[in-house]
């Protein structure tokens, strides 16, 4: 019982045990079949290591049908690699160049397709093995036979031997948080509509506490998961994005509740429309929870609720447009106008945040309902023109020296190519082990690579000692060797996940010692050869890690975060300029707005890449993941505010007399935000003092409202009113971005101080 509890803590869901158990059954059987019955060494080696690749080195997610489809694709591509690798195994220079080219292709392909990303290690193994074992055209047949046997048996084993359930550790907590936020909206509406009923107040306070706790629990679930908690698939990434969006929504709701005032008399049209929008937002959250609760659920009802929310937002806008004309006719003052419009602004901000959450859930469902070919080729939901265009769009965001994914791909390709070259030039007995050692220890910075090298060599030495001890006890008894082999494979499969990387290396060394003594009894000395080969491969990784971008993912995360803030604030500038700038009837700033939106999105994708690479780095992290996550949340906030401003002005006629008067006030606020965020970005990289948060100007919205009233008193016009209200609305979004300064400066400061020392 204690062993089970220990294993469940160190191997959540027993995923490593499941994979290791299958390999412990399949690999010895295939090895015995190929070596004892077929008596062909190529078939034996490729069936044994093929089962390792198919069963231990990949762990596809999703429903069983999709996992089987992915394994079939891996088998087909692996067969091509086995054939090409055999042909390229001689001469030496060709094998090294081919290894580097294939490694670059496989590693970079992960940016295009999540299926390819999760299968990259297994795919590399299918090329490393044939390219390091010199062969001829005649060798292709037996090698493909061994790989084919391994692929077929592994697919069957993954289907019938303890099939893995769909692993989605964040989905359940996200559903609970969404439902709690929906209940919070409804309770707040009931509180504002009702009398001073203590029960309504208590219910509102209860839902606030529960939703806060559920959003916190969602973050705790994210932090309790492994470093890469939801994999690399599109639905997994959108769910991770949903975590940040729900946090943003929770903060918007807190602002809404803080400024909400119970009306003492009849409510105006803006208040009434705002309540309708809140109710529609709650419906979206309820429908979103239903869709998210099931894998690949039908998002039709959710999308209908999103449409109703969009209509409610339009009604809020219509009601808001009527307020300035009424206030101007009544000789109103700016403060009264701002007070009247404020519920509409809050409702629009809330509705936009809920729309973002609902759209993300809809995208998640659409992504999960994609066909297998759409997944394999990286096609994303949202009406892309085709698979090739989808792949090109995804890959283009990672082309550039600032891309962590491209750097890691180049680093890995150089290391594997050099390992093949060095292994062939030095004439080591098992060059395959050299390249595999290079692959296993290369990390995204020199320090992590060096630490992993030490653990890898130490684990190998321990494995040799343990293997010698096992052989000393067993002797040359082949029957006992065959009995011990499955147990050793089981431990080798579980040890890296449940214990440590070094333990995994030790266990894998024991497996190799047993395996080679079954083939040809040589005693424990085969382990000494493995130490030599692993040390050579580790030396290659260490040299490449030191020469090519040695600062790694931690420093890259700072740079990516800096770039993301810089590009996001430029997007904000473009959105404001698009709205109140001097554009012509065709909207000449529209092209620049789209271009900057694309650049900001690309920077956010690179940030996501750097963040996930940082999380995937082995070794002890000096700071909690919650702080890293909080550091990057502000980027999403700036982009969401920019998206909201762009959507606010999309389709509106070019600027008029109002914009000239308002541009000065808006530009003052915008210039202050630009200066602050650019200084933040610069100091994040330079590791200098961060700027202090600047309080937002509380008089800016009032001054804009005063300008609106003066204009409407002189010449009321509905189009001018629409423009004027949008100007005030834009200023309100700028204040949202200003409030983010206080939220992000502390986490970014910790990131600056502690990451990448």
């Amino acid at each position: 019982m204690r062993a089970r509890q220990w294993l469940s803590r160190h191997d959540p869901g027993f995923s490593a045990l499941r994979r290791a158990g299958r390999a412990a059954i399949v690999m010895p059987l295939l090895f015995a079949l190929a070596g004892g019955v077929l008596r062909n060494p190529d078939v034996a080696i490729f069936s044994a290591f093929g089962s390792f690749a198919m069963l231990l080195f990949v762990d596809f997610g999703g429903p069983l049908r999709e996992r089987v489809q992915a394994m079939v694709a891996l088998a087909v591509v692996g067969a091509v690699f086995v054939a090409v690798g055999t042909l390229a195994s001689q001469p030496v220079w060709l094998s090294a160049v081919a290894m580097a080219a294939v490694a670059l292709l496989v590693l970079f392909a992960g940016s295009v397709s999540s299926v390819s990303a999760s299968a990259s290690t297994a795919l590399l193994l299918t090329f490393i093995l044939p390219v390091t074992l010199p062969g001829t055209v005649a060798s292709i047949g037996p090698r493909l036979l061994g790989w084919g046997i391994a692929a077929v048996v592994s697919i069957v084993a993954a289907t019938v031997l303890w099939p893995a359930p769909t692993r989605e550790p964040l989905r359940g907590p996200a559903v609970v948080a969404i439902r709690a936020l929906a209940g919070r909206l409804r309770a707040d509406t009931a509180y504002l509509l009702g009398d001073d009923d203590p029960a309504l107040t208590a219910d509102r306070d209860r839902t606030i506490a529960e939703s806060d706790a559920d959003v916190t629990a969602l973050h705790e679930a994210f932090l309790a998961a492994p470093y890469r908690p939801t994999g690399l698939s599109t639905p997994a990434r959108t769910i991770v994005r949903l975590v940040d969006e729900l946090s943003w929504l929770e903060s918007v709701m807190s602002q809404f509740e803080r400024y909400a005032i119970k009306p003492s008399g009849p409510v105006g049209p803006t208040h009434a429309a705002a309540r309708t929008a809140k109710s529609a937002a709650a419906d979206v959250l309820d429908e979103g929870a239903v869709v998210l609760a099931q894998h690949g659920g039908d998002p039709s009802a959710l999308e209908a609720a999103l449409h109703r929310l969009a209509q409610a937002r339009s009604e809020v806008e219509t009601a808001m447009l009527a307020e300035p004309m009424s206030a101007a006719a009544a000789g109103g003052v700016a403060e009264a106008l701002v007070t009247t419009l404020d519920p509409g602004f809050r409702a629009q901000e809330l509705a936009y945040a809920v729309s973002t959450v609902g759209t993300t859930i809809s995208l998640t469902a659409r992504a999960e309902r994609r066909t297998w070919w759409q997944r394999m080729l990286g096609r994303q939901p949202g009406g892309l023109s085709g698979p090739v265009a989808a792949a090109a769009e995804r890959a283009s965001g990672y082309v550039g020296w600032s891309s962590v994914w491209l750097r890691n791909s180049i680093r890995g390709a150089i290391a594997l190519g050099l390992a093949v070259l060095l292994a062939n030039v030095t004439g080591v007995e098992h060059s395959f082990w050299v390249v595999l050692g290079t692959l296993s220890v290369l990390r995204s910075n020199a320090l992590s690579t060096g630490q992993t090298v030490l653990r890898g060599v130490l684990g190998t030495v321990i494995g040799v000692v343990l293997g010698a001890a096992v052989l000393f006890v067993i002797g040359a008894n082949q029957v006992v060797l065959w009995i011990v082999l499955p147990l050793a494979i089981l431990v080798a499969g579980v040890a890296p996940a449940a214990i440590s990387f070094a333990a995994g290396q030790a266990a894998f060394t024991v497996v190799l010692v047993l395996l080679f003594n079954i083939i040809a009894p040589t005693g424990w000395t085969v382990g000494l050869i493995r130490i030599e080969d692993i040390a050579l491969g580790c030396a290659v990784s260490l040299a490449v890690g030191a020469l090519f971008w040695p600062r790694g993912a931690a420093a890259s995360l700072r740079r990516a975060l800096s770039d993301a803030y810089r590009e996001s604030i430029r997007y904000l500038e473009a959105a404001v300029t698009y709205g109140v700038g001097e554009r012509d009837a065709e909207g000449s700033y529209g092209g620049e707005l789209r271009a900057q939106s694309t650049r900001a999105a690309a920077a956010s994708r690179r940030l996501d890449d750097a963040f996930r690479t940082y999380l995937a780095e082995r070794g002890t992290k000096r700071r909690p993941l919650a702080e890293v996550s909080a550091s990057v949340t502000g980027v999403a906030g700036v982009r969401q505010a920019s998206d909201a401003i762009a959507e606010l002005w999309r389709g509106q006629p070019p600027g008029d007399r109002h914009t000239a008067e308002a541009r000065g006030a808006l530009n003052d606020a915008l210039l202050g935000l630009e200066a602050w965020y650019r200084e933040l970005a610069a100091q994040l990289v330079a590791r200098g003092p961060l700027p202090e948060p600047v309080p937002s100007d509380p008089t800016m919205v009032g001054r804009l409202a005063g300008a609106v009233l003066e204009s409407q008193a002189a010449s009321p016009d509905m189009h001018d009113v629409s423009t004027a209200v949008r100007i005030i609305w834009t200023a309100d979004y700028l204040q949202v971005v200003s409030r983010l300064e206080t939220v992000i400066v502390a986490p970014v400061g910790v990131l600056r101080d502690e990451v990448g020392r």
Side-chain angles (χ1 to χ4, degrees):
M1 179 62 69
R2 290 183 178 179
R4 177 185 175 88
Q5 293 175 346
W6 177 88
L7 187 59
S8 65
R9 289 196 307 269
H10 293 81
D11 181 22
F14 301 113
S15 58
L17 178 62
R18 182 182 288 106
R19 297 194 306 273
R22 295 188 195 124
I25 295 172
V26 171
M27 182 184 171
L29 291 177
L30 294 185
F31 192 67
L33 172 66
V37 178
L38 300 180
R39 298 186 180 278
N40 187 299
D42 276 342
V43 176
I45 291 175
F46 278 80
S47 62
F49 284 97
S51 62
F52 255 83
M54 296 285 288
L55 295 176
L56 279 181
F57 293 161
V58 293
D59 190 19
F60 295 117
L64 180 60
R65 177 179 62 86
E66 296 176 2
R67 296 200 298 268
V68 171
Q69 291 172 338
M71 293 187 74
V72 170
L74 172 60
V76 172
V77 177
V80 174
F81 281 3
V82 168
V84 174
T86 301
L87 294 175
S89 61
Q90 299 181 65
V92 172
W93 69 266
L94 179 60
S95 63
V97 172
M99 182 72 258
V102 169
L104 180 61
L105 174 66
V106 170
L107 294 174
F108 189 72
S111 67
V112 174
S113 169
S114 57
V115 176
S116 300
S118 58
S120 59
T121 301
L123 286 171
L124 288 173
L125 183 63
T126 64
F127 192 84
I128 291 172
L129 186 59
V131 85
T132 54
L133 296 177
T136 63
V137 175
S139 306
I140 295 178
R143 293 180 176 188
L144 285 178
L145 177 60
W147 170 255
I149 293 173
V152 171
V153 176
S154 297
I155 291 172
V156 174
T159 305
V160 301
L161 295 179
W162 197 7
T166 301
R167 295 178 303 278
E168 296 174 305
L170 298 182
R171 187 179 293 259
V175 169
V176 173
I178 291 169
R179 286 174 175 158
L181 290 171
R184 177 173 174 173
L185 273 178
R186 298 192 190 283
D188 185 64
T189 301
Y191 166 79
L192 293 176
L193 285 175
D195 298 327
D196 294 330
D197 188 347
L200 294 176
T201 303
D203 187 53
R204 180 185 187 236
D205 294 342
R206 177 185 58 80
T207 57
I208 291 174
E210 288 179 354
S211 61
D212 287 343
D214 290 334
V215 172
T216 301
L218 175 60
H219 278 277
E220 290 176 351
F222 172 76
L223 299 175
Y227 280 152
R228 197 176 297 172
T230 56
L232 298 175
S233 68
T234 299
R237 294 181 197 177
T238 55
I239 290 178
V240 169
R241 187 173 71 186
L242 189 63
V243 174
D244 290 335
E245 290 174 351
L246 288 173
S247 298
W248 174 255
L249 173 59
E250 194 273 337
S251 66
V252 169
M253 291 175 64
S254 297
Q255 291 289 330
F256 195 105
E257 292 155 353
R258 184 176 304 155
Y259 293 106
I261 301 175
K262 292 188 71 169
S264 57
V267 298
T270 301
H271 279 81
R275 289 175 180 174
T276 302
K278 285 181 64 178
S279 179
D283 291 341
V284 168
L285 293 177
D286 282 333
E287 294 292 346
V290 171
V291 173
L292 192 63
Q294 49 188 323
H295 186 91
D298 185 1
S300 299
L302 170 61
E303 289 165 355
L306 283 168
H307 178 68
R308 291 193 297 272
L309 179 58
Q311 290 179 323
R313 292 178 64 190
S314 179
E315 292 173 1
V316 171
E317 181 178 344
T318 300
M320 292 173 67
L321 295 180
E323 298 290 357
M325 297 190 71
S326 300
V333 295
E335 291 75 8
L337 177 60
V338 171
T339 302
T340 304
L341 293 178
D342 188 70
F345 290 139
R346 302 298 170 196
Q348 288 282 7
E349 184 180 351
L350 172 69
Y352 182 78
V354 171
S355 297
T356 302
V357 171
T359 301
T360 298
I361 297 173
S362 177
L363 288 175
T364 301
R366 292 294 181 191
E368 291 169 343
R369 294 167 71 87
R370 290 176 300 170
T371 64
W372 173 74
W373 277 111
Q374 289 173 327
R375 290 173 180 266
M376 184 63 192
L377 294 173
R379 185 171 184 178
Q380 305 299 308
L384 294 179
S385 57
V388 176
E393 180 184 0
R394 294 289 302 282
S396 63
Y398 296 97
V399 176
W401 291 117
S402 61
S403 169
V404 175
W405 199 298
L406 180 61
R407 289 183 177 186
N408 288 341
S409 300
I410 294 175
R411 182 191 291 111
I414 293 173
L416 293 177
L418 286 178
V420 170
L421 179 64
L422 189 60
N424 287 324
V425 169
T426 56
V428 295
E429 188 172 347
H430 300 290
S431 57
F432 167 70
W433 290 356
V434 176
V435 185
L436 199 61
T438 299
L439 177 65
S440 63
V441 303
L442 185 63
R443 297 295 178 264
S444 60
N445 63 51
L447 178 60
S448 294
T449 300
Q451 293 172 342
T452 310
V453 164
L454 293 177
R455 290 194 293 266
V457 174
L458 177 62
T460 302
V461 172
I462 294 173
V464 171
V465 174
L466 292 177
V470 171
L471 291 179
F472 178 79
V473 175
I474 294 176
N477 192 321
Q478 291 285 303
V479 175
V480 179
L481 284 175
W482 278 104
I483 293 174
V484 174
L485 180 62
L487 298 176
I489 295 172
L490 181 66
V491 174
V494 174
I499 305 176
S500 67
F501 173 71
Q505 288 293 302
F508 188 64
T509 300
V510 173
V511 170
L512 292 178
V513 169
L514 296 176
L515 200 61
F516 277 86
N517 274 274
I518 290 174
I519 297 174
T522 56
W524 62 274
T525 55
V526 69
L528 296 179
I529 300 175
R530 173 164 168 77
I531 293 177
E532 173 189 332
D533 295 343
I534 288 295
L536 191 59
C538 289
V540 173
S541 289
L542 194 60
V544 172
L547 294 175
F548 295 92
W549 301 290
R551 299 178 68 187
S556 296
L557 177 59
R558 292 203 311 271
R559 289 194 300 271
L561 186 60
S562 174
D563 290 342
Y565 274 121
R566 189 177 291 109
E567 294 297 339
S568 295
I569 205 66
R570 287 172 180 166
Y571 177 34
L572 179 68
E573 178 186 7
V576 174
T577 303
Y578 174 74
V580 300
E582 295 179 350
R583 52 193 171 96
D584 55 30
E586 288 75 26
S588 60
Y589 278 98
E592 174 61 25
L593 176 65
R594 287 189 296 270
Q596 189 55 55
S597 174
T598 301
R599 287 191 287 268
S604 293
R605 286 195 297 269
R606 291 192 296 271
L607 174 60
D608 175 69
D609 171 30
F611 183 40
R612 286 183 289 109
T613 302
Y614 170 77
L615 296 183
E617 270 193 359
R618 291 177 182 167
T620 303
K621 298 292 186 290
R622 274 192 286 262
R623 53 180 305 223
L625 294 183
E627 294 180 356
V628 183
S629 179
S631 301
V632 303
T633 299
V635 174
V638 176
R639 287 188 62 212
Q640 286 177 357
S642 304
D643 287 340
I645 293 173
E647 181 183 346
L648 179 66
W649 291 97
R650 187 170 291 118
Q652 296 299 310
D656 55 29
R657 54 191 165 82
H658 287 293
T659 61
E661 300 175 10
R663 194 180 305 132
L666 287 179
N667 278 346
D668 288 344
L670 185 60
L671 289 174
L673 289 174
E674 289 175 348
W676 192 91
Y677 278 94
R678 287 175 178 170
E679 180 68 11
L680 178 78
Q683 296 302 332
L684 183 59
V685 174
R687 306 187 73 172
L690 298 180
E692 292 292 331
V694 179
S696 58
D697 182 4
T699 66
M700 180 178 64
V701 174
R703 285 188 282 115
L704 292 175
V708 169
L709 288 176
E710 291 178 7
S711 298
Q712 292 312 307
S715 176
D717 178 82
M718 186 55 70
H719 163 60
D720 290 346
V721 173
S722 175
T723 302
V725 169
R726 280 178 168 78
I727 290 172
I728 301 176
W729 199 346
T730 300
D732 191 69
Y733 275 117
L734 293 182
Q735 289 190 329
V736 171
V737 177
S738 178
R739 290 197 297 268
L740 278 175
E741 296 175 4
T742 304
V743 176
I744 66 176
V745 67
V748 170
V750 178
L751 176 65
R752 174 208 58 188
D753 294 337
E754 296 192 13
V755 173
R757 285 188 175 182

